[in-house]
Each structure stands twice: as structure tokens, then as C-alpha cells.
Amino acid sequence: MGSDQKTNVALVQAALDAQRNAYAPYSKFHVGAAILTNDGETFVGCNVENSSFGLTICAERVAATAAVANGSNKFEIIAIVSPGGVPPCGACRQFLAEFNPDIPILIVDSNHPKEIKEVSLTDLFPQGFRFFQE
Ligand code: THU
């Protein structure tokens, strides 16, 4: 599952770099994400909070929208880094499933960045909603 170790480490590093840009003055919980697309490009995101809390956007969806806006919607793998190494929220699972329901997810605790845990969205989010059933 996933790609080779060197690719994974580079993707985690991209997510760690993006985490530094997190705008999270309210929760102070900084998250970074990086998506590798099938054309070999990497797109990153960080969480962006707002005074109106409900408008907050997660790092994963920022990375996903950046990829799509740049013409790449075939997601190969995503790395997510956060304090403690949390799995993606439910909304992000649905959002990622749109583009790749089987996407491998690298989950990393930013306090232990060398420990890379890999899970599949298939396991985290089985039977997600699809507008068009195949
Ligand atoms: N957050 C993410 O960026 N990704 C997730 O999957 C879960 C939560 C952010 C949103 C908010 O800025 C902060 O973490 C606390 O919920």
C-alpha cells in the first residue's frame, strides 16, 4: 500500500512545512497536509481558522482544493501531520473520498515526525456518500 519510503518521507516533510503556516489562533492546533497526485505533483494545505469558528477549513481540504484548482484531481496519497497524529475529521474523509476512496493516508505526530503510520481511507470511511452510484 502507498508508495516507496523516500516518497513518503518527502510528502511528510511537505506537510510539516505547511503545518508551519497554519492559521490557528483559536484552537492553537496546527495541522499540515500534503497530497501527491498521479502526475507527481505535491499540493499542500494547513488549517485556516476564522473568528466565525464554523468557517474554519481543515488542512486536508485546503490541500485538496489547491490540487484541484491547479488541474490535478487524481490523488495518489496524502500525508497529515498534527500534534498527536490525529486521523482526518469526518468531513475531510468525505471530501477525500470524492477523489480517491482508497487513498493511502500517512498519519504523523509532528512531535515524532519520523514515525509514519499508514492507513487507508477505505478502512476509515467505508460506504461514503456518492451522488452517482457506480
Ligand atoms: N483540523 C484539521 O485541520 N484537520 C482535521 O482533520 C481535524 C481538525 C483543524 C481544524 C481546526 O483549525 C483545528 O484543527 C481544531 O479542530
Side-chain angles (χ1 to χ4, degrees):
M1 177 161 67
S3 357
D4 63 84
Q5 188 63 11
K6 228 174 100 181
T7 309
N8 289 359
V9 168
L11 199 64
V12 167
Q13 188 54 55
L16 285 164
D17 291 344
Q19 184 192 30
R20 297 167 62 87
N21 296 327
Y23 178 75
Y26 307 106
S27 73
K28 301 192 173 16
F29 190 77
H30 292 198
V31 186
I35 293 173
L36 181 70
T37 59
N38 74 328
D39 45 16
E41 284 202 79
T42 297
F43 297 92
V44 300
C46 59
N47 52 330
V48 183
E49 299 188 344
N50 191 271
S51 291
S52 177
F53 296 166
L55 297 182
T56 290
I57 315 174
C58 293
E60 298 89 324
R61 275 177 286 155
V62 171
T65 51
V68 174
N70 282 283
S72 297
N73 65 14
K74 295 194 167 58
F75 299 177
E76 293 273 322
I77 180 165
I78 181 170
I80 306 167
V81 306
S82 64
V86 294
C89 81
C92 287
R93 293 177 197 197
Q94 173 69 36
F95 205 87
L96 291 170
E98 180 76 20
F99 302 103
N100 183 353
D102 304 320
I103 192 169
I105 303 174
L106 306 176
I107 297 178
V108 170
D109 175 350
S110 40
N111 297 311
H112 302 279
K114 291 208 164 100
E115 291 166 31
I116 303 176
K117 221 169 61 180
E118 183 168 337
V119 296
S120 170
L121 186 59
T122 326
D123 297 322
L124 291 186
F125 193 64
Q127 299 180 29
F129 173 74
R130 289 198 85 81
F131 193 74
F132 296 105
Q133 296 297 337
E134 284 137 32

